[in-house]
Amino acid sequence: MWPHQRIWLGAAVLPLAFLMLRDAPVRFISSAPAAPVHERAPGVPQPTIVTRADWHADEGMVREHAVYTGAVRAVFIHHTGESNAYDCADVPQMLRAVEEAHIKGNGWDDIGYNFLVDRCGTIYEGRAGGITRPVRGAHTTGFNADSVGIAVLGNYGRGTKVPRALVRALAEVAAWKLRPGSDPRGTVRLVSTNDASRYRKGEAAVLHVISGHRDAYQTNCPGEALYAALPEIRDEAAALRQARTGTADAESPRGPERDGRSPDGPEPGGGSGRSGVPGGGGDGAPSLLRVSH
């Protein structure tokens, strides 16, 4: 989450078919499944994901090609901090505002999050590079390597109801993206790459495999209500993995260096490693979106 900025939806004229979908999940047309990624839990299905092409990401705005890291060992949950009163049909337009804010406002290479989820439970592709691949994002300062950042559109502060569909969507992405052997209910040892995090550069941190942004960075993100829902998300992700694989996962111990790589790599997204609430505007959005699943 980024404080002191806001998403402003542009006053574009939307097609009639789009306007008829007010406050409902975006409809979609299924496309063929994408190729599997290496080092992902076998048998865990890819959830339905609205692609960048179909929320009309501005690929011409992206500054650099994607950077890839090791298989996903941790998931960081965020919220964007905006009002929850949006119509889910408006989300593609909101995502273009996030993209513009991250690239033009924060100076990053692309949108920081790997995935975003709306309050209706629809999952969207975030940073470019391939949803089945371990794309390095710019979501959690010091811990962007070997991790996935998922942002929930809205504000989930104290007393806010967390929709059931949202919990399910977060669990599905986590269960699918985590590498074999990662227990969603367990912990993982990661090494900070940035002094701006809660841990000095080079310092090892033991974090939940599914953590909130606040666990690694000085912030209230993902809000008290969503943070309180993390145990439920962990349990559901673990159940999804066990139901599909028939075995319980367990993270094997690892030291500060993994696979011969130094833990002290640069932060992506223009090197800032910053985080913030998206702002900017967007043009209209179609009502029918193809998805990858």
Side-chain angles (χ1 to χ4, degrees):
M1 184 185 92
W2 307 266
H4 309 310
Q5 293 178 308
R6 292 291 181 265
I7 295 177
W8 294 99
L9 301 180
V13 177
L14 303 179
L16 179 60
F18 178 72
L19 293 174
M20 291 173 65
L21 294 174
R22 310 305 296 176
D23 202 23
V26 177
R27 291 190 292 143
F28 49 81
I29 300 171
S30 297
S31 60
V37 69
H38 295 296
E39 289 201 85
R40 197 177 65 233
V44 178
Q46 177 182 310
T48 298
I49 300 171
V50 178
T51 66
R52 287 173 63 93
D54 290 306
W55 59 260
H56 288 189
D58 186 348
E59 304 299 353
M61 194 186 302
V62 177
R63 297 181 176 184
E64 298 289 344
H65 295 300
V67 174
Y68 300 96
T69 65
V72 175
R73 302 178 63 222
V75 176
F76 290 99
I77 306 298
H78 304 251
H79 72 169
T80 61
E82 299 306 316
S83 169
N84 297 341
Y86 60 85
D87 291 310
C88 290
D90 288 335
V91 169
Q93 189 175 355
M94 295 169 68
L95 296 179
R96 290 193 294 276
V98 174
E99 181 189 22
E100 182 176 354
H102 284 195
I103 296 174
K104 294 184 177 180
N106 290 358
W108 298 347
D109 294 335
D110 193 1
I111 192 169
Y113 308 120
N114 297 101
F115 299 94
L116 298 97
V117 180
D118 67 25
R119 64 186 183 86
C120 294
T122 303
I123 305 165
Y124 299 85
E125 178 182 9
R127 178 162 287 218
I131 58 175
T132 63
R133 304 185 67 185
V135 177
R136 180 167 178 165
H139 49 82
T140 308
T141 299
F143 298 97
N144 288 311
D146 300 354
S147 69
V148 158
I150 311 172
V152 175
L153 291 167
N155 190 322
Y156 287 87
R158 191 183 305 275
T160 304
K161 181 179 178 180
V162 180
R164 175 69 193 137
L166 176 53
V167 170
R168 178 70 180 186
L170 292 170
E172 287 179 345
V173 177
W176 169 61
K177 286 297 291 184
L178 283 167
R179 55 173 267 166
S182 292
D183 181 358
R185 294 168 296 194
T187 58
V188 61
R189 177 185 167 115
L190 301 174
V191 176
S192 173
T193 63
N194 194 312
D195 288 333
S197 77
R198 286 187 180 271
Y199 300 87
R200 296 185 305 274
K201 180 177 179 179
E203 182 180 355
V206 177
L207 301 168
H208 289 287
V209 169
I210 300 178
S211 287
H213 187 194
R214 66 172 65 179
D215 293 322
Y217 190 76
Q218 294 286 351
T219 176
N220 288 325
C221 181
E224 294 296 332
L226 187 52
Y227 192 79
L230 290 183
E232 182 183 359
I233 294 166
R234 293 175 189 128
D235 287 345
E236 186 148 348
L240 286 169
R241 286 167 73 90
Q242 188 160 3
R244 292 291 179 166
T245 65
T247 59
D249 291 324
E251 173 76 6
S252 58
R254 286 180 178 265
E257 295 190 9
R258 305 178 301 280
D259 305 324
R261 298 192 304 275
S262 166
D264 299 332
E267 292 294 325
S272 68
R274 293 172 296 163
S275 226
V277 169
D283 52 12
S287 58
L288 294 178
L289 301 178
R290 288 191 304 277
V291 301
S292 179
H293 69 88

